[in-house]
Every structure is written in structure tokens, then in C-alpha cells.
Amino acid sequence: MKKSFKLTVFLIPIGIAVNFIGGQIVLLLKLPLYLDSIGTIVVGALCGGIPGAVVGAITNLLISITNPTTLAYIWLNILFGLLAGYLGKKGIFTSLWKTIITSIGFAIIGGGLGSTITILIFGGLGAGATGAITGMLMTMGFSVQAGAFIAELFADLLDKIPTMIIVFFILKSIPVRTLVKLPQGKLYIPNNGKDQRIHNI
Amino acid sequence: MKGIELKNVSYQYPLSEAFALKNIHYTFEKGKFYGIIGPNSAGKTTLCNLVRGLIPHFYEGELSGDVLIEGKDVREWDGSLLSTKIGYIFQNPFTQISGVKDTVLEEIALGLENLGIDKEEMIERVINVVKLLKIEDLIKKNPNNLSGGQRQRVAFASIIAMDNDILVIDEPTSQLDPESTADIFEIINMLKSQGKTILLVEHKVDLIAEYSDEVLVMENGHIAYSGTPSDVFSNIELIDRGVAIPQAALLSHDLQRQNKPFDFITITNEQAKQQIMKRMSCVNGSY
Amino acid sequence: MDYEFIYSFKKPQLTGNWFLDLNPLTKLNIVIVIAIISILSLSWQVSASIIAFYFLLAALAGCLKRFSKMYIKLGLLIGSLLFIMRAMFIPGDHPLFTFWLFTITQEGIDKGIWFSTLVVSICGAIVLFSTITRAKDFMYALENLGAPHSTSYIILASFQSIIDLGDRAKLIMDSQKARGIETEGNLLQRIKAFIPVMGPLVLGAITSTEEKAIAMEARAFSAPEKNTHLSELRKVPLWEKLFVLLVNISLILFIIWRFI
């Protein structure tokens, strides 16, 4: 386990950078998604919940340097990491359809907890597109809570389904010689690697 | 004096059926320069990993036999202490830069910081190594913006500053241009003259022939040939088995086949040149 | 050789600006106190004064230009969004005017002004802190408090990884474009373009961690010794300690005055 921990330290900055770059490529390609938690979930899945949560928390802190209101949502990124660690340990990410189903879990954190934070801190009216949708839903007769919840859950599910598909294929493509050095990596080796050949360097 | 002893060592990487190293029996003595050659995936890097203690401290897998570093079994060494004993430099100039320091000066000092060296000594050591490697013009630059050759020199400086007795150097020039390669070999030669034990994996056999005290030829995970450069490279079997040998030795072997041998099998360009000069003066003298 | 540069590391690296040279934790303490005052005051006038005060502090640190460039844009964006949301959607007994579906009320306007100045003032604390503090100094201060040096590595390496991966992403995207992969086109095409950029990028980065770990291990990354530092912070002078004490006492006095 100690050996695995060594590699975890070096994977955390990569996870953080992946979150960042994911978000930036989305902007460059003008996609209506976030795709900014791929690094958190991949590191959580490979190294466990705590390293995943660390990736999420630091990503959030670094983003909040330029966009401070993000800081209020740090708990989401932490929980994404923890959930990914737990699901990874259970072996969920080795099957594509199970992985896709987990997007509901991530969307409930992102949408459910996200909207709760929006309500608690921003009175439901955050400074973003979902804030405007919430406002519209409120004028249509929904309560603040219901409006924020529906708006954010929907936005989050739309984001987490492609996120989880990408995560699945990333995990599937990591070479065995890297997987053996990660705390939860061995779970992703097909047939526990019995018939896998590994090249030496 | 014995530095690193390998006694009947075999090793398989995790989940791998094949042996990366097979029945290695060899002793690396202190203060000598070892050149390690052989085709790709012959086990050269694995041998480095073993000698450097990365096997078994970083790579799991099946290790059998004894690896003694300064007389102590590698399994009993604290993995992190080995890094203070044995320096390691490898081919990729990019991953060897830490990415956490914003000047070359601080980058070189990083290893010393981790060793807990006090500041006065740290500064002295960094100055010495900067002078030694002639990288005075780089010290204020950001290491993350340097070229490959410059980064590799900084990587050498960072390891040399830690003052290890043993240096394992794995294909340091394979990603560099000829000019940077010459710089790196100059550095390696200088380390040799300081009495360091050096294990160098390198495809450029001409250079290996010139600098090595001992040459190891690896093939399929075992040491196929070993001995002084002239012993190893005068063996004609090497050519038949497809092992690259120095140009001078190749020429020597060719002449021998044509029954016009040199006085001995030359292995460095200098030796070959002298033999040719000698022959030419004979030719001139006879007329 | 530039000995002046080398020997500059013998002393703590100071800028000569008294505010910039404060210990990172002192600065953190100050901005937190300011943010708390803004929250507890429940008054937009206080929050607005604090926003103005940041510019003074930034000028004091000689970073006015850098701070303003970032903060004004951010403040206007977040502030106006938060204000408009509240002004439009919060119901109240004092309607000012109505258009389409919305009724603008005095309550909405009041809440909007208070909340937007509050949030912008808290954001200012974060922006100011990051403007006047270098990440490596902050991490060094945390190490002095007992944080393991791997935390410093993680944070500082993250910054560099973001730069490195960003450069590689650009490289990959350009080569994808050159090979005719559509990066503009319709939504589906653009989503499809994401995968061949992100895939190799992430996989390359993950597999490179092995070499990174080996390289850092060769630099005694996990050596048991307590590590030393080439670049050090100065020892916190007495006047700075008293200054922090004064700031914190003012906060306590403010709380007492406000709530008791």
C-alpha cells in the first residue's frame, strides 16, 4: 500500500490539471457542458475516495482564485471524489452501463447538494445560467427549492452522463503497468491480469 | 571494493510470465565505469531499476536471488535512503524537472532541500555543480521553459549536487541532438575522473568503448558477455549475434577476415587511427 | 556567474514593500477578518466601503493594476448578475414597476444591493489574497505550521501541470484540425472532437506519473530527513505579530459592538 501511495501523490496534480483542461477545452469547443470533474472522478476511481476528494477540493480552490463564488460549491467536488472512490472500490466502473447509471448519483450530488448550497448561500438565485432558469421556474409557480433543484439536477445530469462515459474509457485504456502501481488500479485489470502480458520498459 | 553484488538474480514484472532478468550474476566494483549495451527490451533498464533499488521498493513482482548494495540486502535497505546513495538519471528530460521550482538554481537545490542540507552548504554545493557543468547562464531561467538538452544538463546538475557515490545513467542522450550529446558525455567523463561508480546504459557503442572500464552486453534478460571493452568487442561472435560494436572494432574484424589484420582488435577510433598510420608509414617506407 | 542572484537566497527574499512582505498567514488573517466584518455588518454600505478599501490595500502592495484588472471585471459580472436576479424575482409589498412577467419591488432592489455588495466583497478578499501572495510562499508558511512537504509539491505541481497539459491540449487540437477532425461544426461533431483531444492527453499524463515518481524519488522526495529550504520567508517580526493582534481585537470589538 505504501508503494501505491507514492504514485498517488504524483497523480493528484495530474487529476487537477485534467479538471482544468477539460473545462477549458469545453469552452474552446463551445460545448454546453462543464466536463470539469473528469480528473476528480478518475483519481477517485484509481486511488480511492480521499485522493479523489483532494483533487476535487484543490481544483475548486484554484478555480476560486479567478471565480470566487465557486468556493461555495467545494463540497460537491469533495463528494464527487469520495463517491468515485467508493464506486471504484466496488468495481462499478468496469462495466459501461453501470458506469453510466452512476451519473445519476453524481448528478444528485451536483444538482441536489448544488441547489441546496445555491439556496442556502445565494437564496436560490446564483450567478449563472441555472440561476436564471430557477428564476423562470419560480415565476411559473415553483417554489425556490423546487425550482433550483429541478434546474440544477437537469443541468448536472446532462453533464455527468458524458463525463462518466469518458471516465469509463479512460479507465479502460490505462496500461496495466500503471494500474498495478495504483491503490485501486488492480480492479481495472481484465481477468485480474492473469492473461495480460506486460512489457518491461 | 564491492559496490553492488548480484547473486543469481531473476525478476518478473507484476502479472508477467516472462522473466525480465534471468540468473544475473555480477559484481559492480566501486570507482569503475560500466557500459551496458544490448538490443531493446534486453533488460537494460530493468537492471538499472534493480541496482537502483526501485525493484523491489517501487516495482512489485517476483524477485529471487540476492542483491547486495554495499554488502546489505536491497530488501533491507530503506527505499528512500537508497536515493541518497545512488543517483539516477534517465532519458526523458521533461519528467526529470520537478515542475515546482521557478529557477534552475532552486531546481538544482531541490534534492538538497529534501536531504535536509543546511542553507550555507546547499549554496556552496549548487555553485560548485553549476561551475562544473558550465550552466552559469541558466541559473536564473525557469527550468520549465528550457530545451531538452538544457533540461538534461539541469537534471545531471540536480543529481550530481546530491553527491552520490554511485550513478545509474539510463540512455541520457537518446532524446538529444548531437551537440547536447557531446556535452552530456563530457559531463559523464568528468564524473568518471572524480572516481564515481558509473553504470551507463547507452546505444552509442563508440562512446562506451572509449569510456568504459567494463562492458556488459545484455540479451533476453541475461548478461551475454562481459569484460573489458577490448575483450568484449574483439569477440567476433558479437557481430554474428547482431550486437552493435564500435566502428573501429568493425573495421578491425573486417581486415582480419581479409587476412590483413591490425596488430590487435582496435576498439576506439584513436587506436584504429594509430594502426592505420603505422600501416601507411610501412607502405611508404617499403618504397 | 551571477553571484548576487545566488547569494540573494542567503537572506529571506523580500520585496521592500512592507505590505507585500507580510507573512502569507498574516495576509490570510487580514482578508478573513475583512470578509467576516462584511458578512456580519449586514449593511451594503459597509460592504461597499470594504470593496473600496481593497483597492487601497492593493495600491499599498503596489499591485493596484493587476488587482483592478481582475477584480473590476469579476465584481461587475457577479455583482450585476446577483443584483438583477434579486431585483427581478424577489417579491415584496412595495412594487416599483412591472414589465412582462416581472414585478420589480423595493425589497428586491434592497436585497439585491445588499447581497451583491456582500458577495463581491467576499470575492475581493480572495482575489486580493491571491494577488498579493505567491503560492510558493503560502505553501512554505503552511510547511512551517507542520504541513508535509508533499502538500506543497501537490499544489505547486498542479500549477505547472495545468500549464503543461494546456500546451499539450493546444498541440493535439491543432494536429486534430490538421488531420481534418472537425472542431467547429455542429454540437455532435464538437462533442465528438472532445474525446480524441482529452483521451490521449489524460492517458499520457497518467502514464507519465510513473517516471515522475522515479525522478522525484531520485531527488530524495521521500527521504526521512526534515527538509530545509533555499528560499525562505523572514521570521515574523514583533511589530507584525502586534499588528495581527490588533486586527483580530478590532474584529472582536466589532462583534461585541454589533451584537451585544
Side-chain angles (χ1 to χ4, degrees):
Chain A
M1 269 298 129
K2 197 172 166 252
K3 278 169 216 159
S4 303
F5 177 70
K6 275 186 194 165
L7 211 48
T8 301
V9 171
F10 301 98
L11 201 56
I12 290 173
I14 298 295
I16 294 163
V18 167
N19 285 343
F20 253 83
I21 304 303
Q24 277 173 14
I25 297 178
V26 160
L27 290 179
L28 274 176
L29 294 175
K30 302 187 198 75
L31 300 177
L33 303 165
Y34 311 118
L35 302 184
D36 57 357
S37 42
I38 295 174
T40 308
I41 298 171
V42 167
V43 173
L46 289 172
C47 304
I50 304 288
V54 170
V55 170
I58 297 175
T59 303
N60 189 293
L61 286 173
L62 296 187
I63 293 177
S64 60
I65 293 173
T66 50
N67 187 3
T69 45
T70 319
L71 196 57
Y73 299 93
I74 193 166
W75 306 108
L76 307 188
N77 296 293
I78 291 174
L79 285 176
F80 288 157
L82 292 175
L83 180 63
Y86 175 77
L87 294 172
K89 206 172 173 180
K90 294 275 165 204
I92 304 288
F93 297 133
T94 50
S95 132
L96 178 60
W97 66 269
K98 280 187 195 163
T99 306
I100 294 176
I101 289 176
T102 64
S103 1
I104 300 172
F106 288 100
I108 287 174
I109 297 175
L113 183 64
S115 63
T116 311
I117 292 173
T118 310
I119 290 163
L120 283 178
I121 299 181
F122 300 106
L125 300 167
T130 48
I133 299 173
T134 310
M136 298 298 283
L137 288 166
M138 278 167 69
T139 57
M140 285 162 66
F142 284 95
S143 69
V144 185
Q145 285 83 348
F149 189 82
I150 293 169
E152 296 208 14
L153 190 70
F154 182 70
D156 225 85
L157 198 58
L158 223 57
D159 175 57
K160 288 300 176 300
I161 292 173
T163 298
M164 293 317 294
I165 295 174
I166 293 167
V167 166
F168 174 80
F169 285 106
I170 288 172
L171 292 174
K172 207 177 147 67
S173 320
I174 297 174
V176 175
R177 45 177 283 228
T178 307
L179 288 175
V180 294
K181 298 191 195 71
L182 295 164
Q184 298 189 15
K186 288 190 179 128
L187 296 165
Y188 300 94
I189 301 173
N191 306 329
N192 274 331
K194 281 289 174 264
D195 53 17
Q196 283 280 323
R197 296 250 156 194
I198 311 172
H199 290 287
N200 63 23
I201 308 162
Chain B
M1 232 182 111
K2 286 169 183 172
I4 300 165
E5 286 174 86
L6 307 176
K7 291 182 182 166
N8 206 16
V9 176
S10 297
Y11 175 72
Q12 290 160 281
Y13 278 101
L15 310 177
S16 173
E17 303 280 314
F19 280 93
L21 293 177
K22 256 184 312 212
N23 301 324
I24 304 270
H25 208 83
Y26 198 81
T27 301
F28 295 96
E29 284 169 38
K30 277 196 172 171
K32 278 195 173 178
F33 189 123
Y34 294 87
I36 302 168
I37 61 172
N40 285 330
S41 68
K44 302 185 302 292
T45 295
T46 308
L47 185 67
C48 289
N49 288 339
L50 181 73
V51 168
R52 166 71 185 78
L54 290 171
I55 297 170
H57 290 287
F58 183 71
Y59 294 94
E60 294 173 23
E62 293 298 317
L63 174 65
S64 63
D66 291 326
V67 181
L68 303 176
I69 297 171
E70 297 197 332
K72 187 170 156 186
D73 194 298
V74 71
R75 298 175 188 88
E76 319 210 325
W77 273 96
D78 180 334
S80 58
L81 271 179
L82 274 176
S83 64
T84 67
K85 276 264 164 245
I86 305 172
Y88 188 46
I89 299 150
F90 52 92
Q91 35 180 314
N92 188 340
F94 293 89
T95 41
Q96 289 181 90
I97 298 295
S98 70
V100 297
K101 297 291 182 185
D102 41 27
T103 64
V104 166
L105 188 80
E106 290 165 278
E107 177 73 27
I108 297 171
L110 174 67
L112 304 176
E113 292 183 328
N114 289 337
L115 289 173
I117 307 283
D118 77 75
K119 195 147 74 172
E120 288 292 318
E121 191 189 336
M122 199 188 300
I123 290 174
E124 281 312 303
R125 282 213 212 172
V126 174
I127 290 175
N128 287 338
V129 76
V130 165
K131 278 186 193 159
L132 201 65
L133 300 199
K134 304 192 187 77
I135 50 173
E136 289 92 341
D137 52 331
L138 296 182
I139 52 172
K140 284 171 94 165
K141 294 198 171 145
N142 186 328
N144 304 297
N145 300 334
L146 298 178
S147 71
Q150 289 171 324
R151 284 181 201 231
Q152 196 64 311
R153 279 194 282 167
V154 172
F156 266 88
S158 307
I159 296 298
I160 294 169
M162 293 170 74
D163 198 23
N164 303 291
D165 299 329
I166 305 171
L167 288 165
V168 178
I169 309 171
D170 189 359
E171 296 193 36
T173 63
S174 64
Q175 298 186 11
L176 303 184
D177 56 71
E179 200 181 327
S180 308
T181 301
D183 287 346
I184 295 298
F185 266 89
E186 198 181 316
I187 294 169
I188 294 174
N189 196 29
M190 192 172 53
L191 292 170
K192 183 188 172 183
S193 67
Q194 289 183 341
K196 305 267 187 201
T197 312
I198 296 171
L199 277 67
L200 173 68
V201 175
E202 181 58 65
H203 283 298
K204 298 178 179 87
V205 277
D206 288 11
L207 295 164
I208 288 283
E210 197 176 331
Y211 292 114
S212 305
D213 296 315
E214 301 279 331
V215 175
L216 283 74
V217 182
M218 293 203 66
E219 212 172 51
N220 296 324
H222 68 273
I223 300 174
Y225 301 94
S226 67
T228 62
S230 39
D231 284 349
V232 170
F233 292 125
S234 40
N235 189 339
I236 193 127
E237 270 178 49
L238 255 60
I239 304 179
D240 302 335
R241 296 179 77 152
V243 178
I245 66 169
Q247 279 178 318
L250 215 52
L251 172 69
S252 223
H253 284 304
D254 271 354
L255 287 171
Q256 198 160 33
R257 277 193 190 139
Q258 295 169 27
N259 286 323
K260 293 167 193 158
F262 283 152
D263 298 350
F264 59 96
I265 300 287
T266 56
I267 58 158
T268 66
N269 291 345
E270 190 53 39
Q271 289 172 342
K273 196 171 133 196
Q274 276 172 10
Q275 287 290 315
I276 292 169
M277 296 296 276
K278 192 175 159 197
R279 188 164 292 186
M280 282 172 74
S281 67
C282 282
V283 171
N284 290 338
S286 64
Y287 285 93
Chain C
M1 181 145 48
D2 193 343
Y3 283 100
E4 199 183 321
F5 170 67
I6 298 175
Y7 292 136
S8 73
F9 286 93
K10 287 196 174 183
K11 293 198 203 84
Q13 304 219 302
L14 298 178
T15 60
N17 177 305
W18 74 270
F19 192 63
L20 268 187
D21 288 339
L22 290 177
N23 188 285
L25 298 175
T26 305
K27 295 176 193 166
L28 185 65
N29 188 315
I30 293 171
V31 297
I32 288 176
V33 165
I34 295 174
I36 292 176
I37 289 177
S38 184
I39 295 170
L40 294 181
S41 71
L42 297 175
S43 130
W44 73 266
Q45 289 90 340
V46 172
S47 297
S49 321
I50 283 173
I51 292 169
F53 184 55
Y54 289 134
F55 288 95
L56 187 73
L57 289 181
L60 215 56
C63 313
L64 184 60
K65 211 172 154 195
R66 211 148 47 89
F67 173 76
S68 310
K69 210 176 138 197
M70 204 166 150
Y71 187 50
I72 292 177
K73 210 165 75 184
L74 185 86
L76 286 178
L77 185 74
I78 293 176
S80 57
L81 268 171
L82 288 173
F83 172 74
I84 293 169
M85 295 287 187
R86 273 153 196 77
M88 290 205 320
F89 297 118
I90 289 180
D93 303 328
H94 301 87
L96 295 175
F97 58 91
T98 303
F99 72 99
W100 192 33
L101 287 170
F102 309 107
T103 305
I104 308 298
T105 63
Q106 186 62 48
E107 286 85 347
I109 299 275
D110 289 347
K111 270 205 168 153
I113 290 177
W114 163 70
F115 196 72
S116 55
T117 50
L118 172 65
V119 173
V120 171
S121 73
I122 295 170
C123 290
I126 297 168
V127 175
L128 182 70
F129 181 70
S130 66
T131 314
I132 60 174
T133 315
R134 291 191 303 179
K136 67 171 186 179
D137 292 340
F138 182 55
M139 294 318 298
Y140 178 66
L142 289 184
E143 272 187 54
N144 279 350
L145 284 185
H149 78 135
S150 50
T151 17
S152 301
Y153 173 82
I154 287 172
I155 301 283
L156 298 175
S158 301
F159 285 109
Q160 190 56 42
S161 299
I162 291 169
I163 297 171
D164 291 345
L165 278 197
D167 289 347
R168 279 203 57 203
K170 245 180 255 144
L171 217 68
I172 296 175
M173 277 182 87
D174 288 346
S175 68
Q176 303 283 21
K177 266 184 214 161
R179 282 165 50 201
I181 293 179
E182 202 58 64
T183 55
E184 269 129 41
N186 67 35
L187 182 61
L188 196 68
Q189 276 176 325
R190 281 179 284 136
I191 292 179
K192 275 194 196 149
F194 185 82
I195 317 276
V197 178
M198 207 58 185
L201 192 71
V202 178
L203 285 172
I206 290 175
T207 42
S208 75
T209 52
E210 184 181 325
E211 270 192 14
K212 195 83 195 179
I214 291 173
M216 287 300 101
E217 203 47 49
R219 309 278 284 282
F221 186 76
S222 57
E225 286 88 356
K226 184 171 168 21
N227 61 321
T228 46
H229 293 86
L230 178 63
S231 171
E232 283 182 304
L233 291 172
R234 77 169 165 201
K235 204 169 163 291
V236 180
L238 182 66
W239 66 263
E240 188 178 324
K241 287 180 185 157
L242 292 174
F243 180 63
V244 173
L245 197 68
L246 193 72
V247 169
N248 292 342
I249 290 175
S250 341
L251 175 68
I252 294 165
L253 289 178
F254 175 80
I255 293 173
I256 293 171
W257 167 76
R258 186 71 185 70
F259 294 99
I260 298 173

